[in-house]
Amino acid sequence: MTSEEKMKRWVDTWKVAGPELERIKQEELRAMDETRSAEIFNLLAGGWVDNWRPPERETDHGLVIQQHHFSKAHADQRRP
């Protein structure tokens, strides 16, 4: 198999695999609950948000909570 044939095969494979992977990703995102999304957020945030939980009251606006955590992380970074 020539390098051109290998490249064509690779492209053809991704033409099929790409949309299928996107479908799986969307399905998993739709099925995700707040606890799992919080776990993923904590992993992506590098652990600087300890024990984040979804708001307990409906009056707790998510953006306000997010800004609180960002502010806390910023303050923590400024400490010697």
Side-chain angles (χ1 to χ4, degrees):
M1 184 178 284
T2 68
S3 110
E4 186 175 314
E5 290 171 330
K6 287 179 186 177
M7 183 62 74
K8 183 178 179 341
R9 184 175 177 193
W10 185 85
V11 169
D12 291 342
T13 299
W14 276 105
K15 282 181 181 177
V16 174
E20 181 62 13
L21 289 171
E22 182 63 26
R23 184 194 65 75
I24 292 168
K25 179 177 87 172
Q26 293 301 319
E27 185 178 296
E28 288 176 353
L29 287 171
R30 277 192 295 277
M32 188 180 303
D33 63 2
E34 286 186 0
T35 302
R36 181 64 182 139
S37 64
E39 290 170 357
I40 291 170
F41 175 77
N42 284 333
L43 289 171
L44 294 173
W48 56 259
V49 179
D50 295 327
N51 301 318
W52 186 89
R53 290 180 302 290
E56 295 175 7
R57 301 179 309 248
E58 288 201 21
T59 57
D60 292 339
H61 192 278
L63 184 58
V64 173
I65 294 168
Q66 177 191 38
Q67 292 302 313
H68 167 76
H69 287 298
F70 286 162
S71 175
K72 183 180 173 199
H74 179 72
D76 289 347
Q77 288 179 345
R78 300 186 102 204
R79 286 190 199 134

